[in-house]
Structures are given as C-alpha cells and as structure tokens.
Amino acid sequence: MSWTFGSVAIVGAGAVGLYYGARLAEAGGDVRFLLRSDYDAVQADGIRLESVAGDLHLEKVQAFRTPEEIGPVDLVIIAWKATSNHLLAEVLPPLLHADTQVMTLQNGLGNCERIAEIAGAERVLGALCFVCLNRLSPGLVSHTAGGRISVGEYVNDGGGRAEEIARRFIEAKVPADAAASLAEAQWKKLVWNIPFNGLAIAEGGVTTDVLLQTPGVEDEIRALMTEVVAAGRAQELVLEDALIDFNIERTRPMGPYRPSSMIDYVEGREVEYEAIWAEPLRRAQAAGVEVPHMERLAERIRERIGLEI
C-alpha cells in the first residue's frame, strides 16, 4: 500500500529546518513551522534563504508557537539538534494522527530509536542532509554548498514512504533519493561528521580549511575515517574505502566552512556529543572494532566541552 502526505510540521527552526521547510512550502506544500525564538521575526518578514540553489523569500509562513496549535499532520520533520530530544515526548503526540510519519534530519545515531519509543518504529524515517547551511539571524539562512537529502525507513515495510518523500523534495528542487539502507546511509555520513565536526571542536573551534591545512591533521582525519568505515563494515554495512578520499576532496572547495557542532561549541551551546561521537563509538566497540583514534577524539571533545565521563 502506497503512502502520500499533505500536511507537514517542521519541528526545529534552525538552519536545516528553515531551509528544507521553506523549499517544500515554496513548492506549494502545506508546511507548518513550530517556532520559538524566531517566531516574531518570521511572522514579520517570513523566511529568507541566501542560496547557491537560488535565493528565496517565503513571505507567508504558517508559524506556530506550540504543537497543539499546529495539530495532527501527515508528516513530522524533526530538524532540531539531538540535544533537544528530551522534548520529543512533549512535542510529538499533539502532531500525530493514526497514519502520521515522523522523519528525523538529525545527525548521528540513536535518534530514530528515541522517536520510535514515542511514535512506534513503523512510523519512523531518517534523512541525511548533505548540505552547508548556517543560520545567520532569525529567519535568515545561508546555503553555500550541497543540498542533497537521502531518505531511509527505520523499518522498511515496502510502503514507499521514503520514495514518496524523496519525490516531493525533488519537486521542491531539492536533490533527493531513497536509501535502500538507512543504517548504511547514517554511517556513510558519519565518515564526514565524526572527524570534521569533532576535530573542529578539538582543535579549539576552527573551520574545515584550517583543519586540512594544519600539519598532521589531514592524516588524523584519514585515520578517523578509516575507523568509521571499519566500524560500519563490522555491522555488515557496505562502506567503501573510496569514501575517505571522496569526503576529503569534497571538503576542500568549501573554504572556511564552520561545521554545525563547531558553531555550537564556540557559541557556548550544548554539543551533540552523544549522537555523533558517543553512540557510534559504543557501537564500534560492541562490534569488536579497535578504534583508538575515535576514542581519543571523544576524550578531546569531552575535555573541550567540559563533559565528564
């Protein structure tokens, strides 16, 4: 049985939520944004995207302060940081009807499991966003590279949910595909996120170009990527060695890019340590993979953010 969706709720109005939500809305979708700090600015001036894929000013935005005001929708997109997942039990239930699907755009591992505890595993999808975004001010997002989104089902029941969501993003001029294996797609993204987000913090809050230009750091990036690939393979996922060169070479043209975790660190916000580093590390160790570089990076990050073991 195929599935389609009409109404969408965007939960988490940072750079990712604003960007992808605005693209869906511009394409004619019934998109409702749950906003808190950005509410007044978006009500006054809409959402603005400064984008390599074409600038956009979404003047009329369906903005709400509470999930109860939004009400049940067909698709909930979780776009806030994993550090806000303790709020899921409060925010999700008012948005659900009998057939509502919930898709997380969050980085790292463990997010689908948290959503499944509330909504049921059969409702859950995950999407990986391969994009360079920064929120410059309330309602204003800079999009400097990438944009592709890969959608996968937490429990693949053959209902075509991932394919339908990907199709709708493509209609909104966002490159998209349906991933055959969500777990594999998640680990492939960790090949980039673990070293670049992590070392950007561990090195004191630096951009990706500084990482690649600092003597010895590219070697450390490659060592970390090699361990992530090995950890994924130990879980019977297909991760190719070519991912290492691919991810490094696609990062060089980004210039002084500020990874999202580095921004959180330098601006004094909570870092997504658990989802991006701790949970992958636990799964690697449980699979019997030796990951000394991942262990050392996790230790350096904990020291930087003042997190005790």
Side-chain angles (χ1 to χ4, degrees):
M1 180 179 173
S2 62
W3 171 82
T4 59
F5 66 92
S7 52
V8 181
I10 304 291
V11 175
V16 171
L18 291 172
Y19 179 78
Y20 287 108
R23 290 294 184 198
L24 288 173
E26 175 67 10
D30 174 6
V31 182
R32 310 168 193 180
F33 294 80
L34 179 62
L35 300 171
R36 293 186 178 172
S37 61
D38 283 19
Y39 180 85
D40 291 334
V42 169
Q43 282 286 68
D45 193 40
I47 297 171
R48 293 180 180 271
L49 307 180
E50 296 178 353
S51 171
V52 293
D55 292 349
L56 169 64
H57 182 199
L58 186 68
E59 297 184 52
K60 296 183 179 180
V61 178
Q62 295 189 81
F64 301 88
R65 291 187 187 272
T66 70
E68 289 80 8
E69 291 175 315
I70 293 176
V73 295
D74 300 326
L75 176 65
V76 179
I77 297 178
I78 305 295
W80 63 27
K81 297 292 180 70
T83 50
S84 294
N85 279 351
H86 63 283
L87 299 172
L88 284 169
E90 170 192 341
V91 170
L92 261 185
L95 302 174
L96 304 178
H97 59 58
D99 297 317
T100 302
Q101 306 296 306
V102 185
M103 181 173 74
T104 171
L105 304 186
Q106 297 164 306
N107 283 320
L109 302 177
N111 302 304
C112 289
E113 288 82 352
R114 294 289 297 277
I115 295 168
E117 291 172 1
I118 299 163
E122 72 283 355
R123 293 177 182 251
V124 180
L125 302 101
L128 293 305
C129 306
F130 302 91
V131 65
C132 296
L133 296 171
N134 288 137
R135 175 179 166 278
L136 302 180
S137 63
L140 175 61
V141 175
S142 168
H143 169 218
T144 55
R148 181 171 68 86
I149 187 168
S150 186
V151 184
E153 299 177 12
Y154 184 55
V155 177
N156 194 331
D157 61 4
R161 296 170 297 154
E163 288 81 2
E164 174 63 12
I165 293 171
R167 184 185 71 80
R168 293 287 290 274
F169 273 105
I170 291 169
E171 286 183 352
K173 299 180 181 178
V174 173
D177 63 76
S181 167
L182 176 58
E184 187 175 293
Q186 289 173 327
W187 277 91
K188 284 181 177 178
K189 190 169 186 189
L190 287 170
V191 173
W192 194 93
N193 272 340
I194 284 177
F196 278 107
N197 271 287
L199 288 169
I201 295 171
E203 293 292 319
V206 301
T207 51
T208 54
D209 60 330
V210 173
L211 292 177
L212 289 171
Q213 293 164 11
T214 302
V217 175
E218 183 174 329
D219 289 341
E220 182 63 16
I221 290 169
R222 289 182 179 275
L224 284 161
M225 288 182 171
T226 299
E227 291 184 354
V228 176
V229 168
R233 287 175 178 168
Q235 296 166 82
E236 300 184 352
L237 304 174
V238 179
L239 276 72
E240 305 291 344
D241 290 337
L243 284 168
I244 296 171
D245 281 339
F246 170 77
N247 276 288
I248 289 173
E249 295 310 317
R250 77 182 178 94
T251 305
R252 296 190 198 280
M254 292 181 188
Y257 180 64
R258 303 168 75 212
S260 59
S261 296
M262 182 272 274
I263 295 173
D264 290 337
Y265 166 66
V266 299
E267 295 186 359
R269 293 191 295 269
E270 188 177 0
V271 170
E272 295 176 290
Y273 172 77
E274 184 66 25
I276 299 177
W277 295 281
E279 183 61 22
L281 179 57
R282 282 194 291 269
R283 296 191 190 188
Q285 293 168 333
V289 181
E290 293 187 6
V291 286
H293 293 271
M294 289 175 63
E295 291 168 351
R296 174 56 184 155
L297 177 60
E299 182 180 340
R300 293 180 68 194
I301 294 169
R302 289 196 303 269
E303 290 173 354
R304 284 287 185 183
I305 66 178
L307 182 66
E308 296 183 3
I309 299 176

